[in-house]
């Protein structure tokens, strides 16, 4: 009995040490959800000290930010429109075509045509489509890049639209087609307000940003197409502006009228005048000044610069 006491004493110490190790290991397992790392081992004091160091790691992992819209799934339980849905892309393509129509037709009608019933009806149809597009903006979700999520609450969508593009979209929707196209005096200047319809072009960046994800053309090809179209618009708008300037100079003059650059083509019809006006714009942009009065000279300097 006496000889076995040291053995019993040693056994109790071993048992106590094992119980203490298991107790400390259990505490580490209970706190494992507070850190990232391996499960704490149950082997000894040295390993356990390493495990306790691991508990000092941050307990919260930051959520990823600056995600792109195509990296986050659009909510399925919502009735608002996904801006990248196929139907919305088709609508945006139609709006892009109508914007290009407005940019080309509005100055041409104002400068060369005047009152025309067919164009009046067409413009009213275009106005209705733009009004529907304005209404659709209140039901169009947007992606919050800062928080990395889609915003589908209509009150937030409306608030964002009111603070951004709503005022300009309404200004572009006013019935400018009802303003007189061919009058004398002050109304000649008033009719220029019709050009405010061209504010609808401000929709272009928003539409392009949504369509960019569907475009497969290379960046260089896109840049060339944009350059050609911008150059065409410069020639077109310059020709229309020259026709307006000469029209205001001549007024209702029939004899001893002031000289104008389009004098030889003034009575040959719309397309003859337009061709001469475009030729004037191209020549001016190539530093070939053809102005024959002060107004034309000032206009040539503006487009030449």
């Amino acid at each position: 009995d006496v000889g076995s006491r040291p053995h019993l004493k040693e056994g109790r110490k071993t048992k106590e040490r094992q119980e203490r190790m298991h107790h400390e290991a259990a505490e580490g397992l209970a706190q494992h959800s507070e850190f990232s790392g391996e499960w704490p081992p149950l082997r000894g004091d040295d390993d356990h000290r390493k495990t306790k160091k691991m508990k000092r790691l941050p307990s919260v992992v930051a959520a990823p930010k600056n995600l792109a819209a195509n990296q986050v799934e659009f909510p399925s339980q919502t009735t608002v429109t996904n801006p990248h849905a196929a139907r919305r892309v088709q609508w945006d393509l139609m709006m892009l075509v109508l914007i290009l129509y407005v940019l080309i037709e509005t100055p041409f009608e104002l400068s060369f045509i005047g009152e025309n019933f067919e164009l009046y009806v067409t413009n009213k149809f275009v106005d209705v489509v733009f009004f529907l597009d304005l209404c659709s903006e209140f039901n169009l979700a947007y992606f919050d890049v800062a928080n990395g999520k889609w915003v589908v609450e209509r009150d937030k969508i409306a608030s964002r639209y009111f603070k951004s593009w709503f005022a300009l979209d309404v200004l572009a929707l006013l019935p400018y087609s009802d303003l007189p196209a061919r009058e004398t005096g002050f109304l000649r200047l008033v009719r220029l307000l019709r050009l405010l319809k061209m504010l609808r072009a401000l929709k272009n960046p928003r539409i392009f940003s949504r369509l960019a994800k569907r475009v497969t053309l290379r960046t260089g090809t896109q840049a060339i197409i944009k350059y050609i179209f911008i150059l065409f618009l410069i020639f077109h708008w310059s020709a229309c502006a020259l026709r307006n300037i000469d029209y205001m100079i001549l007024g209702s003059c029939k004899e001893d009228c002031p000289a104008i650059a389009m004098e030889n083509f003034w009575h040959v019809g719309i397309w003859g005048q337009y061709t001469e006006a475009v030729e004037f714009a191209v020549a001016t942009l190539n530093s070939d000044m053809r102005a024959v009065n002060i107004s034309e000279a000032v206009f040539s300097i503006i487009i030449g610069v």
Side-chain angles (χ1 to χ4, degrees):
D1 293 339
V2 176
S4 63
R5 287 179 183 177
H7 175 73
L8 293 175
K9 187 176 180 180
E10 184 67 25
R12 283 197 298 269
K13 289 182 180 179
T14 303
K15 185 177 181 180
E16 289 174 359
R17 183 168 61 252
Q18 290 177 348
E19 288 177 353
R20 185 173 63 254
M21 291 173 55
H22 283 288
H23 178 70
E24 291 175 349
E27 289 182 351
L29 288 171
Q31 297 179 5
H32 175 69
S33 58
E34 299 180 0
F35 64 91
S36 300
E38 299 294 333
W39 290 98
L42 305 177
R43 291 195 296 270
D45 292 340
D46 292 338
D47 290 335
H48 182 61
R49 280 194 291 270
K50 295 179 181 178
T51 301
K52 294 184 69 174
K53 290 181 181 180
M54 294 176 65
K55 291 191 290 185
R56 299 173 186 174
L57 295 175
S59 60
V60 179
V61 179
K65 295 182 179 180
N66 299 325
L67 293 174
N70 59 358
Q71 295 176 312
V72 180
E73 184 178 0
F74 188 81
S76 57
Q77 302 298 326
T78 181
T79 57
V80 299
T81 305
N82 182 351
H84 300 150
R87 290 186 178 181
R88 184 65 197 190
V89 171
Q90 294 171 0
W91 177 268
D92 286 341
L93 286 173
M94 182 184 69
M95 293 303 301
L96 182 61
V97 172
L98 292 181
I99 288 173
L100 299 181
Y101 166 80
V102 170
L103 292 177
I104 296 172
E105 185 275 338
T106 300
F108 186 80
E109 177 190 5
L110 183 64
S111 304
F112 291 93
I113 299 177
E115 298 290 352
N116 183 279
F117 179 75
E118 289 79 8
L119 283 178
Y120 178 81
V121 173
T122 303
N123 290 335
K124 285 301 179 183
F125 170 76
V126 173
D127 291 344
V128 170
V129 176
F130 273 93
F131 175 75
L132 294 177
D133 183 71
L134 183 147
C135 294
S136 72
E137 292 287 344
F138 291 98
N139 195 54
L140 187 65
Y142 68 93
F143 187 74
D144 186 354
V145 178
N147 296 317
K149 66 176 184 178
W150 286 98
V151 178
V152 295
E153 295 83 2
R154 286 191 173 85
D155 56 340
K156 294 182 180 180
I157 294 173
S159 176
R160 179 175 181 264
Y161 185 44
F162 280 131
K163 293 177 182 178
S164 55
W165 297 98
F166 178 76
L168 288 175
D169 287 348
V170 170
L171 185 62
L173 266 178
L174 296 178
Y176 300 108
S177 299
D178 296 330
L179 294 174
R182 296 279 182 174
E183 297 291 345
T184 59
F186 175 71
L187 290 180
R188 287 184 185 176
L189 298 177
V190 173
R191 70 195 182 100
L192 294 179
L193 291 175
R194 288 186 170 195
L195 294 176
L196 291 177
K197 287 199 302 182
M198 296 170 66
L199 288 173
R200 296 171 183 177
L202 294 175
K203 283 183 174 288
N204 267 1
R206 288 172 279 171
I207 294 176
F208 278 133
S209 65
R210 293 196 291 263
L211 293 178
K213 302 182 184 301
R214 300 295 186 103
V215 175
T216 58
L217 293 176
R218 293 183 300 176
T219 304
T221 305
Q222 295 182 43
I224 293 174
I225 294 175
K226 290 179 182 179
Y227 175 78
I228 294 174
F229 185 73
I230 291 173
L231 193 63
F232 165 76
L233 284 181
I234 291 175
F235 292 151
H236 180 69
W237 290 345
S238 299
C240 295
L242 176 66
R243 176 62 171 74
N244 262 313
I245 291 172
D246 286 353
Y247 173 73
M248 291 182 178
I249 291 174
L250 289 180
S252 57
C253 176
K254 296 182 179 179
E255 296 181 359
D256 298 327
C257 298
I260 59 174
M262 298 175 60
E263 184 174 1
N264 296 331
F265 295 84
W266 196 252
H267 301 289
V268 298
I270 292 175
W271 294 110
Q273 295 177 20
Y274 180 74
T275 302
E276 172 62 16
V278 171
E279 193 270 342
F280 178 94
V282 174
T284 302
L285 288 173
N286 284 280
S287 303
D288 184 7
M289 303 291 286
R290 299 191 179 186
V292 296
N293 57 59
I294 296 177
S295 298
E296 292 178 350
V298 172
F299 173 68
S300 297
I301 293 173
I302 293 174
I303 64 174
V305 172

